């Protein structure tokens, strides 16, 4: 008669559990710059306690790197304030008929990529929402750059004067989301319009842009000082974009100390 197996069911279960843990640790290793064969050799003889340690260490390392990346993206974005979605007042925000608030908060427009135009009077929450969405994108690992329209133009003009325009445009092009705030608050001359047009053209179907503005499309020609330039920018924005309208009184005015 053949010898009966001496392996007990509980031992088999422990071995299966150990194998699953080894597989989990090796999957983590794919995200880290380790020599996987060396790790595999070590895990072959590792005790469950040692594998538990390696598992905790790798998860801690990944969480640390992700936190560092989020902090770096938030710092590089250049947000002027730490505005968030939590507690944001949506009462005066009018979404397009074919789009819901959840589509904005989920950042689904980045997948298109699509543009968002936030239009309304000053002080109605456009910049707050644009910053909050940008910060949420950073926390999800998305590279974002925030500019006022005037600040962006001045930055590009300065880069051009220093012979660094191509480098600056390349850096801006690395962001997945651009926020261009206060479009229309300051007129842009012909040279500035051309530079801004270059940013928009480079972003077309490659990056998402959030604009905040108090000027309807019909008035963008006055902003850019060139109706043809404005028409070209509007054409690209409308093709893959949506407009969100903001209504109501200025928050700053209704909460001002000087009445």
């Amino acid at each position: 008669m053949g010898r009966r197996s001496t392996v007990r069911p509980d031992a088999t279960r422990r071995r299966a559990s150990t194998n699953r843990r080894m597989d989990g640790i090796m999957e983590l290793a794919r995200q880290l710059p380790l020599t996987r064969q060396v790790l595999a050799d070590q895990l072959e003889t590792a005790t469950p306690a040692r594998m538990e340690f390696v598992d905790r260490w790798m998860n801690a390392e990944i969480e640390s790197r992700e936190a560092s990346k989020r902090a770096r993206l938030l710092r590089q974005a250049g947000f002027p304030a730490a505005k968030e979605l939590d507690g944001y007042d949506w009462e005066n925000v009018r979404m397009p008929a074919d789009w819901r608030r959840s589509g904005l908060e989920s950042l689904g427009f980045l997948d298109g990529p699509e543009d968002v135009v936030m239009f309304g009077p000053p002080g109605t929450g456009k910049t707050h929402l644009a910053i909050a969405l940008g910060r949420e994108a950073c926390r999800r690992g998305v590279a974002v750059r925030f500019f006022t329209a005037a600040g962006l133009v001045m930055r590009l003009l300065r880069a051009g004067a220093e012979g660094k325009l191509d480098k600056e445009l390349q850096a801006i092009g690395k962001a997945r989301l651009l926020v261009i705030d206060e479009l229309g608050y300051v007129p842009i001359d012909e040279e500035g319009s051309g530079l801004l047009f270059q940013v928009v053209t480079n972003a077309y179907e490659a990056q998402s842009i959030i604009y905040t503005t108090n000027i309807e499309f019909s008035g963008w020609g006055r902003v850019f000082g060139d109706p043809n330039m404005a028409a070209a920018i509007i054409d690209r924005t409308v093709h893959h974009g949506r407009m969100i309208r903001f209504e109501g009184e200025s928050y700053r005015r209704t909460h001002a100390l000087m009445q």
Side-chain angles (χ1 to χ4, degrees):
M1 294 179 62
R3 182 177 298 177
R4 298 178 63 183
S5 173
T6 59
V7 179
R8 292 175 297 178
D10 58 340
T12 301
R13 285 194 294 271
R14 283 197 300 272
R15 182 58 184 171
S17 176
T18 299
N19 288 338
R20 286 195 298 272
R21 175 155 292 176
M22 287 175 62
D23 291 339
I25 293 173
M26 293 304 298
E27 186 61 31
L28 288 172
R30 297 179 186 276
Q31 305 176 51
L32 298 172
L34 300 175
T35 304
R36 296 183 67 248
Q37 187 55 53
V38 172
L39 179 61
D41 292 342
Q42 294 298 316
L43 290 176
E44 283 293 331
T45 57
T47 64
R50 289 173 180 169
M51 284 189 282
E52 177 79 23
F53 165 77
V54 173
D55 183 72
R56 290 199 310 270
W57 166 61
M58 287 188 173
N59 276 295
E61 179 68 22
I62 290 171
E63 289 174 6
S64 175
R65 293 185 183 195
E66 290 178 345
S68 296
K69 179 181 179 181
R70 289 192 295 269
R72 173 175 53 81
L73 290 173
L74 285 166
R75 185 173 62 254
Q76 291 177 344
F79 298 116
K83 304 295 186 180
E84 305 295 348
L85 290 172
D86 288 345
Y88 183 77
D89 185 359
W90 294 87
E91 182 179 356
N92 295 325
V93 180
R94 302 292 176 260
M95 300 294 293
D98 63 340
W99 209 34
R100 296 183 179 180
R101 168 180 155 185
S102 59
L104 188 64
E105 291 182 301
S106 69
L107 305 179
F109 62 95
L110 295 177
D111 297 331
E114 299 171 354
D115 298 333
V116 177
V117 178
M118 299 184 177
F119 165 72
T124 49
K126 303 184 300 297
T127 298
H128 181 144
L129 184 55
I131 291 174
L133 291 170
R135 289 176 63 83
E136 179 62 23
C138 287
R139 283 190 285 268
R140 298 188 192 186
V142 175
V144 181
R145 296 294 298 275
F146 177 97
F147 306 98
T148 62
L152 175 57
V153 169
M154 291 300 297
R155 187 184 188 96
L156 295 172
L157 287 171
R158 184 168 57 250
E162 296 173 354
K164 300 177 181 178
L165 181 58
D166 288 344
K167 183 178 180 181
E168 184 65 33
L169 288 171
Q170 187 177 40
I172 293 172
K174 290 180 180 179
R176 190 173 163 195
L177 170 62
L178 302 178
V179 179
I180 301 179
D181 191 34
E182 298 182 346
L183 182 67
Y185 285 62
V186 178
I188 303 172
D189 62 16
E190 185 177 352
E191 184 179 5
S193 296
L195 292 170
L196 186 54
F197 177 72
Q198 195 164 352
V199 171
V200 174
T201 299
N202 292 346
Y204 181 60
E205 297 188 333
Q207 299 166 279
S208 289
I209 302 179
I210 294 177
Y211 300 91
T212 74
T213 182
N214 62 344
I215 306 293
E216 290 190 273
F217 283 146
S218 60
W220 282 27
R222 297 192 305 274
V223 175
F224 290 98
D226 183 339
N228 293 327
M229 190 79 70
I233 291 176
I234 293 169
D235 182 64
R236 285 162 173 76
T237 303
V238 170
H239 186 207
H240 296 302
R242 293 182 172 89
M243 178 176 285
I244 301 173
R245 295 180 179 271
F246 291 70
E247 302 173 350
E249 294 293 325
S250 167
Y251 176 88
R252 290 183 288 272
R253 182 177 299 173
T254 56
H255 292 79
L257 293 177
M258 185 181 297
Q259 297 289 348

